[in-house]
Amino acid sequence: MRKLEKNELITVAIEDIGFDGAGIGKKDRYAIFIKDAVIGDTVYARIMKAKQNYAYAKLEKVITPSSFRVTPKCEFHRQCGGCQLQALSYDKQLSYKQNKVRNNLIRIGGFMPELVDSVTQPIIGMDEPFRYRNKAQYPVGYSKNGCLTTGFYAGRTHDIVANTDCLLGDERNKAVLEAVLAYMKANNVTAYREQAGTGLARHIFIRSGFYSGEIMVCLVINAKNKANLPRQQDLIESLREIPGMVGLTLNYNPDKTNIIMGKKMETLWGKETLSDWLYLREPEKGFVKTGESISVKLSPLSFYQVNPIQAEKIYSLALNYAQLEGKETVWDLYCGIGTISLFVSGKAKKVYGVEIVPEAVCDARKNALENKIDNVAFFAGKAEAVLPEKLSEGAKADVIIVDPPRKGCNAECLDIMIKIKPKRIVYISCDSATLARDLRIICENGYELKKWRAVDQFGQTVHIETVCLVERK
Ligand code: SAH
């Protein structure tokens, strides 16, 4: 069979969606990955790179558009790496995500398809799959023609494309970004140049409370203190005009690194933490809000779920899966600022949260106090280290809830969980591949998969959260 050549033009039907959202077509023995092509399209594409049995191609023209195609709302969707699925209808996005989890459970987890299907609950989509993020991190820099700008990094590069209104974020972000840029221009404040490590302003970090309406700005600068920042009052004055604005903080990041935030913070004006709250919802009644809520306060350095509405559904589902009667000792591993612990505390005897970031543990303790919840305790440290230590001191574990980062639980942590023999494990995951890997280990050691349900937290992107229940046989 003939080898595909670079620059060759092909016509191909798109039959599938890859893990990164690219369309996949087949030509002879080749699987061809085409960014921005939509499942169901027939496209004209240019081969960019050909390997043994797969190739990457660039979309040149859609010949016959797919019935799943929609007009993307954002004019930058192809340049920006953020929304891989904006041209795909939202319903199709959901079925793609549901399938992705299912396939991983089967292929990586080793579960029988019949079992996986018999314990599935339908994916929970968003009511409004835009403007759902409560957090934005905009880089500050220079455009190709040397103008001070903010926007997003063009896919797989660090070239900034100007855009002050990402459609996944808060509408007020635009005013914040424009105020910061205007202040910088008026006062000759330079932007950071990554290559040289010179210049001052690096990132504009904005977080907002969906219910409280509060909005807070954190300017990340390439300095060790605020001395280099001229006429700070001008910046404060212009930001204060934005509705809901409660604080301006500086974050000092003088290191040559691509990590956005440095470790040191200083409040320039207003509050140190953003306040918001989260409602418990009713899974049996289409996730309507109950009257119960918890209030949260968070510092800029702490992790907080970026889509609070869907996070409420995930937490409520986790609580439902945990089937607590009020007598149980529950562990909340990878607890962040303690939101899950606080959510389940009313239905448990005792809850222990474990989190590696000390600032987040501080926030967790304050949040417990603020909510007048006294049957929770938080420990700073690695889950795999704290759990065995506390158990050897006599603590119990009836139910364990885990919510690890993308890399999943580590082998040690799984090993300890299995040895303790909790009645139930509720696993919340933001990467179904590592979820499936971990569930395989758990289920080879005395547990069975009882339920799983995907929850879409990140519409327009390929990411998907999953909540799973496993029970001891
Ligand atoms: N459950 C929380 C946070 C989930 S994000 C929420 O819903 O908001 C995952 C968290 O795990 C992060 O806060 C991260 O700092 C923490 N983490 C990462 N590795 C860890 C480890 N080995 N032990 C404990 N926590 C860890």
Side-chain angles (χ1 to χ4, degrees):
M1 217 175 317
R2 197 177 60 81
K3 189 175 181 301
L4 286 173
E5 299 293 339
K6 187 172 162 131
N7 280 321
E8 187 176 334
L9 287 163
I10 55 163
T11 301
V12 61
I14 305 299
E15 295 166 22
D16 207 348
I17 310 174
F19 72 92
D20 60 354
I24 306 176
K26 296 221 171 67
K27 195 103 197 151
D28 303 334
R29 64 183 166 174
Y30 287 96
I32 301 173
F33 296 89
I34 310 171
K35 184 180 162 304
D36 304 313
V38 166
I39 185 168
D41 281 346
T42 298
V43 302
Y44 201 45
R46 184 182 295 275
I47 300 293
M48 304 308 286
K49 200 185 208 173
K51 298 277 191 187
Q52 266 300 317
N53 46 19
Y54 64 94
Y56 294 99
K58 184 169 176 278
L59 176 65
E60 293 283 330
K61 195 177 170 215
V62 177
I63 301 170
T64 320
S66 161
S67 59
F68 303 121
R69 227 177 218 289
V70 293
T71 308
K73 285 195 184 182
C74 173
E75 60 176 307
F76 301 109
H77 82 283
R78 283 187 70 171
Q79 269 167 289
C80 170
C83 292
Q84 305 88 352
L85 302 179
Q86 243 196 65
L88 191 65
S89 73
Y90 189 58
D91 279 349
K92 191 66 184 172
Q93 289 183 26
L94 292 180
S95 62
Y96 155 72
K97 292 184 188 196
Q98 165 104 358
N99 243 321
K100 180 166 153 173
V101 181
R102 177 183 185 270
N103 288 342
N104 281 337
L105 289 173
I106 294 166
R107 280 194 219 142
I108 303 172
F111 295 99
M112 298 301 289
E114 299 74 29
L115 171 78
V116 170
D117 292 339
S118 69
V119 297
T120 310
Q121 293 187 286
I123 186 166
I124 303 166
M126 288 183 216
D127 296 335
E128 178 40 67
F130 285 93
R131 301 271 184 217
Y132 58 79
R133 288 183 63 98
N134 59 13
K135 172 178 136 179
Q137 288 164 313
Y138 278 85
V140 191
Y142 297 96
S143 63
K144 285 213 170 92
N145 53 17
C147 286
L148 182 68
T149 191
T150 185
F152 59 87
Y153 292 131
R156 299 199 187 120
T157 73
H158 270 198
D159 298 336
I160 299 176
V161 178
N163 176 23
T164 50
D165 190 21
C166 168
L167 299 182
L168 302 190
D170 193 308
E171 279 174 350
R172 293 171 295 178
N173 291 348
K174 189 170 191 291
V176 171
L177 299 169
E178 282 168 3
V180 176
L181 284 189
Y183 155 79
M184 287 178 66
K185 282 177 189 158
N187 294 286
N188 295 318
V189 176
T190 53
Y192 185 61
R193 291 184 192 268
E194 272 193 313
Q195 294 297 327
T198 58
L200 196 60
R202 297 176 72 130
H203 271 87
I204 305 166
F205 175 105
I206 313 169
R207 194 132 73 174
S208 47
F210 264 49
Y211 293 115
S212 66
E214 290 187 359
I215 183 164
M216 230 174 143
V217 179
C218 174
L219 186 63
V220 186
I221 61 174
N222 175 34
K224 289 188 175 141
N225 58 56
K226 63 183 178 188
N228 297 345
L229 205 63
R231 299 178 68 94
Q232 292 156 22
Q233 203 56 34
D234 290 2
L235 179 60
I236 294 169
E237 292 307 325
S238 65
L239 287 175
R240 280 176 82 152
E241 287 178 11
I242 295 165
M245 184 61 62
V246 292
L248 170 63
T249 53
L250 287 181
N251 175 274
Y252 301 119
N253 186 359
D255 297 331
K256 231 180 145 182
T257 165
N258 57 12
I259 296 172
I260 296 178
M261 305 282 272
K263 293 209 159 68
K264 242 184 87 193
M265 304 280 311
E266 182 171 349
T267 302
L268 272 194
W269 164 76
K271 304 206 299 181
E272 278 170 23
T273 52
L274 182 94
S275 308
D276 204 18
W277 54 91
L278 290 164
Y279 284 95
L280 191 67
R281 289 174 181 260
E282 193 66 77
E284 270 99 19
K285 295 184 193 148
F287 289 93
V288 293
K289 273 190 224 158
T290 66
E292 275 178 76
S293 66
I294 55 160
S295 70
V296 287
K297 283 206 168 116
L298 36 132
S299 40
L301 290 175
S302 294
F303 174 89
Y304 186 53
Q305 297 282 350
V306 298
N307 181 337
I309 306 287
Q310 295 301 94
E312 290 176 339
K313 297 180 190 171
I314 289 174
Y315 293 169
S316 302
L317 191 62
L319 176 59
N320 178 272
Y321 280 9
Q323 300 165 52
L324 302 175
E325 290 171 355
K327 297 176 291 203
E328 296 87 349
T329 301
V330 180
W331 284 78
D332 170 17
L333 304 182
Y334 310 87
C335 72
I337 59 166
T339 37
I340 295 176
S341 298
L342 300 184
F343 248 67
V344 304
S345 63
K347 305 269 186 318
K349 189 168 120 206
K350 183 85 202 178
V351 187
Y352 296 105
V354 186
E355 163 62 44
I356 202 167
V357 174
E359 286 85 0
V361 175
C362 264
D363 284 348
R365 290 182 181 140
K366 282 186 203 153
N367 286 328
L369 276 178
E370 184 91 6
N371 287 281
K372 301 193 172 63
I373 292 172
D374 55 12
N375 62 337
V376 298
F378 295 102
F379 306 113
K382 287 186 182 168
E384 56 274 22
V386 172
L387 189 57
E389 187 191 309
K390 296 295 162 192
L391 291 164
S392 72
E393 292 169 10
K396 282 178 50 192
D398 298 310
V399 175
I400 299 181
I401 303 175
V402 296
D403 182 13
R406 279 189 204 160
K407 65 175 187 228
C409 296
N410 75 2
E412 246 177 301
C413 186
L414 290 174
D415 194 46
I416 297 158
M417 279 166 37
I418 291 161
K419 282 204 183 114
I420 304 167
K421 300 193 169 84
K423 206 158 42 185
R424 287 184 198 98
I425 299 172
V426 178
Y427 195 132
I428 304 172
S429 157
C430 54
D431 183 332
S432 55
T434 58
L435 167 74
R437 178 202 67 196
D438 291 352
L439 285 184
R440 175 177 208 140
I441 296 172
I442 295 170
C443 291
E444 279 169 359
N445 286 281
Y447 286 83
E448 52 191 350
L449 180 61
K450 287 291 189 185
K451 280 182 201 171
W452 71 274
R453 189 160 196 182
V455 184
D456 189 25
Q457 285 235 74
F458 306 103
Q460 320 309 329
T461 82
V462 292
H463 303 291
I464 180 68
E465 294 266 327
T466 313
V467 184
C468 293
L469 168 65
V470 295
E471 262 175 15
R472 226 185 128 64
K473 278 187 207 158

